[in-house]
Amino acid sequence: MFKSARFKLTAWYLLIIILISIFFSAAIYFRVSQELEIGFRRAEIRQRAGELGIPLPGRWPIGGEDLDPRLQNEGPRFFLAEDLEAAKRHVAFNLLIIDIAILVISAGAGYFLAGKTLRPIETALEEQKRFVADASHELRTPLTSLKTSLEVALRDKKMSAMQAKKLLQSNLEDADNLKSLTDKLLSLARYQSNGKSRHFEKHNLAAIIQTAYDKILPLAKKKGVEIELHVEDTLIEADQTSLEEMVLIFLDNGVKYTVKGGKIKLTTRTGGGYVSMEIEDTGVGIAEKDIPYIFERFYRADSSRVKEETSGFGLGLALAKKIIEIHKGVVSVSSVLGKGTTFTIKLPLKH
Ligand code: ADP
């Protein structure tokens, strides 16, 4: 598809260049022909004047009205007319050679430029295709299991009301999970397509962190994980909703991958036009081989011993990274398996 688009685009480039070069060649040809005719006429008049012994003024108009009547309306004689035609043919031939050279060079350059123009579109389309394929794959598995469990229940004639209620409860949980997956996918798609349409305004980062903390606190308490905040008031130009979502993702992961009695510490430091946010946990840690991939969509590290028990789709960190990117920030991670993980996010205070 992109190969044919590349050829088509090259053809369009060529068509435009050919039209322009034909137009200019014609203009040059007519102008040069005119000049040649004038030059030859002057040469003719000068020659006739010499033959007739008529003195010529230093400069004389080509119309020749002021000249001796014998020199007026003097046109090139046969041999001069032939030279004139030969000179015009030379001009036309040279213009044709130049046009062919332009055509060949612009065909190559056009093909190269068409490739360069289409490459980012091709990459974006490939990325989108992969996203749709990954998303459909992830949605298919829970939907199939939901469908199967409902079919089995429908066929089971001896199912008690209690069992039916239990099944409905579990189906509801599956549906909730699916909803959370689709919400995350939608969010990711939105960040992917229009990071620029966010509302960047001045906000206090400490307030954003506090809101995220309040949201995660019940879950942390339930799990027996302590969260400690060491946050200073910092004004940052940011999109409040997405920044809050990002903090929530890191805190949520911290709680998810830290066992009872563990601790999460969130610290911010401001300086040099940047704020750096450190989220440190005493959780299960991430194996070195998994670290390069954890920010990829749908990647869930095998090493995480609690993987089977923790819910998640491997979208959180991909989403967080997109949010950091639209804020022109960077994220890094260091982790020791079995000891804990530290994520460091560095964001510019202004855009
Ligand atoms: P998930 O929904 O699986 O949590 P994420 O994209 O948020 O997806 O994280 C990707 C993977 O990175 C997780 O599956 C987990 O293996 C690892 N991970 C992320 N945060 C932590 C953390 N704080 N401690 C240990 N492992 C983590």
Side-chain angles (χ1 to χ4, degrees), residues 52-79:
L52 298 171
I54 302 168
L56 278 174
R59 282 181 62 80
W60 34 275
I62 193 60
E65 294 83 7
D66 301 336
L67 292 174
D68 186 295
R70 283 169 294 171
L71 296 176
Q72 286 175 15
N73 299 322
E74 201 51 70
R77 274 177 296 169
F78 179 69
F79 73 95

Side-chain angles (χ1 to χ4, degrees), residues 184 249-258 264 279-287 290 293-307 310-320 333 335 337 340-343:
K184 280 217 166 90
I249 288 169
F250 285 110
L251 287 180
D252 183 50
N253 274 353
V255 174
K256 228 162 51 173
Y257 299 107
T258 302
I264 300 163
I279 300 134
E280 192 184 341
D281 66 51
T282 57
V284 294
I286 308 166
D290 289 318
Y293 308 106
I294 54 169
F295 291 98
E296 283 180 13
R297 267 189 332 242
F298 300 114
Y299 189 85
R300 303 200 75 205
D302 282 335
S303 58
S304 140
R305 274 173 280 129
V306 282
K307 183 182 167 187
T310 54
S311 61
F313 306 100
L315 285 176
L317 289 183
L319 202 55
V333 56
S335 187
L337 210 54
T341 307
T342 305
F343 285 97

Side-chain angles (χ1 to χ4, degrees), residues 28 38 135 169 187 193 201-202 257 265 314:
I28 290 171
I38 292 169
Q169 193 75 41
S187 208
S193 59
E201 277 165 13
K202 272 205 159 65
Y257 299 107
K265 200 164 95 184

